Amino acid sequence: MRSNLLRGCGTAIVTPFTAAGALDEPALRAFVDAQLAAGVRMIIPCGSTGEAVTLTPEEHRRVVEITVEQVNGRIPVVAGAGSNDTQKAITLSREMQAVGATHLLQVTPMYNKPPQRALLAHFRAIADACALPIVLYNVPGRTAVNMEAATTLTLAADPRFVAVKEASGSLAQMTEILRERPDGFSVLSGDDGFTLSLMAHGGDGVISVASNVAPARVVALCEAMLRGDLVEARRLEAVLAPVIDACFIESNPIPAKAMLAMMGHMHDVLRLPLVSLADALRDRVRSALERASLLS
């Protein structure tokens, strides 16, 4: 199953909504096209950045279906299909397979706080039920459970698991996975602030929030690291730093949607329990875009 290593910049795309709060299909199509034009190597719809937990099953399916249509086979579409109910994750994964996703993004179950042996059972049950390769997603800051390096490596020995999006915040954990991973298993940063460091230790790329706002810049940073040009990568990281900081000034994707609205890509509309960016923070976010020359 490990035929093409996932490398470079992938974007965990936001989900555009209309002013009335419905799925904005034309904006989504245009946004995916803009990501493709910027050179991203994979697109990840319906993750936490895409507000997947507030989408109906029909909307979730439609977002991935539209993404697949716009991508048209050019790059991988890694569809978010996670749940803290294993059976729900299986049902959703089968739906993602049916609409043409190339990979599944499976997050550690949130709220339940399963032990490590339960994580193994959860992910293996999904793999047993679906034919798509799986990208594991470790983000303890959102789920309240850390998938330990040993657990990731146990799953990595199974070729049905092709990558991990690592957002543990622990470079030591990430480098342990890098040292011990089997050939063909990708290690991708799940945190824009760790991209350069992880890739400098041999990591393969990033599943990025910041590339919603500055896709060409994040692509360029990853490509510089892949060809070993650390000087250029450090220059690009410095350019991107204000945008990355702004992306996390409040809970993701609140700032990203505010910036994309300022740039004219979509409405600044989120679904509860998320709300639009605090007014007191808007000048700081706009300033970050101006400093990065992202506002016309």
Side-chain angles (χ1 to χ4, degrees), residues 26-72:
L28 176 58
R29 291 186 187 277
F31 191 64
V32 172
D33 287 348
Q35 291 287 316
L36 292 167
V40 301
R41 292 202 188 192
M42 53 193 136
I43 291 182
I44 301 86
C46 295
S48 50
T49 304
E51 298 175 76
V53 293
T54 68
L55 300 176
T56 67
E58 295 77 18
E59 288 172 328
H60 195 129
R61 179 185 177 105
R62 186 62 179 150
V63 169
V64 175
E65 188 174 48
I66 288 170
T67 304
V68 168
E69 289 173 359
Q70 296 306 116
V71 168
N72 194 27

Side-chain angles (χ1 to χ4, degrees), residues 7 42 62 111 125-126 135 169 193 218 238 249:
R7 306 186 80 201
M42 53 193 136
R62 186 62 179 150
Y111 188 77
I126 297 167
V135 176
V218 182
I249 201 168

Side-chain angles (χ1 to χ4, degrees), residues 9-254:
C9 172
T11 301
I13 58 171
V14 301
T15 302
F17 299 124
T18 67
L23 179 62
D24 190 340
E25 294 193 8
L28 176 58
R29 291 186 187 277
F31 191 64
V32 172
D33 287 348
Q35 291 287 316
L36 292 167
V40 301
R41 292 202 188 192
M42 53 193 136
I43 291 182
I44 301 86
C46 295
S48 50
T49 304
E51 298 175 76
V53 293
T54 68
L55 300 176
T56 67
E58 295 77 18
E59 288 172 328
H60 195 129
R61 179 185 177 105
R62 186 62 179 150
V63 169
V64 175
E65 188 174 48
I66 288 170
T67 304
V68 168
E69 289 173 359
Q70 296 306 116
V71 168
N72 194 27
R74 287 173 281 181
I75 59 174
V77 175
V78 185
S83 174
N84 62 346
D85 175 345
T86 304
Q87 190 54 53
K88 287 181 182 177
I90 288 170
T91 299
L92 189 53
S93 296
R94 288 171 171 164
E95 283 285 297
M96 299 304 95
Q97 181 174 328
V99 297
T102 63
H103 298 70
L104 301 171
L105 181 71
Q106 291 291 348
V107 69
T108 52
M110 66 296 295
Y111 188 77
N112 312 60
K113 297 185 74 174
Q116 299 299 303
R117 68 185 185 280
L119 292 179
L120 293 172
H122 170 77
F123 290 123
R124 285 168 174 162
I126 297 167
D128 288 343
C130 304
L132 293 181
I134 292 173
V135 176
L136 302 163
Y137 181 15
N138 184 38
V139 57
R142 284 186 178 266
T143 66
V145 60
N146 177 47
M147 185 163 62
E148 296 171 3
T151 303
T152 299
L153 290 165
T154 297
L155 292 167
D158 182 335
R160 298 177 297 177
F161 300 98
V162 299
V164 62
K165 177 184 178 184
E166 242 295 337
S168 64
S170 169
L171 190 58
Q173 178 164 306
M174 297 175 197
T175 55
E176 182 179 351
I177 296 167
L178 286 167
R179 286 194 304 270
E180 303 296 333
R181 63 173 170 168
D183 290 343
F185 185 82
S186 299
V187 180
L188 305 165
S189 176
D191 183 335
D192 282 286
F194 277 92
T195 303
L196 190 148
S197 296
L198 179 66
M199 294 189 75
H201 282 83
D204 300 291
V206 63
I207 294 179
S208 173
V209 174
S211 59
N212 280 280
V213 178
R217 307 276 178 82
V218 182
V219 166
L221 188 157
C222 289
E223 296 302 318
M225 287 303 296
L226 288 172
R227 66 175 181 267
D229 190 346
L230 182 59
V231 172
E232 175 64 4
R234 289 176 66 184
R235 184 190 72 80
L236 288 162
E237 185 187 50
V239 170
L240 277 166
V243 175
I244 292 172
D245 290 345
C247 280
F248 300 99
I249 201 168
E250 279 197 313
S251 296
N252 174 51
I254 291 172

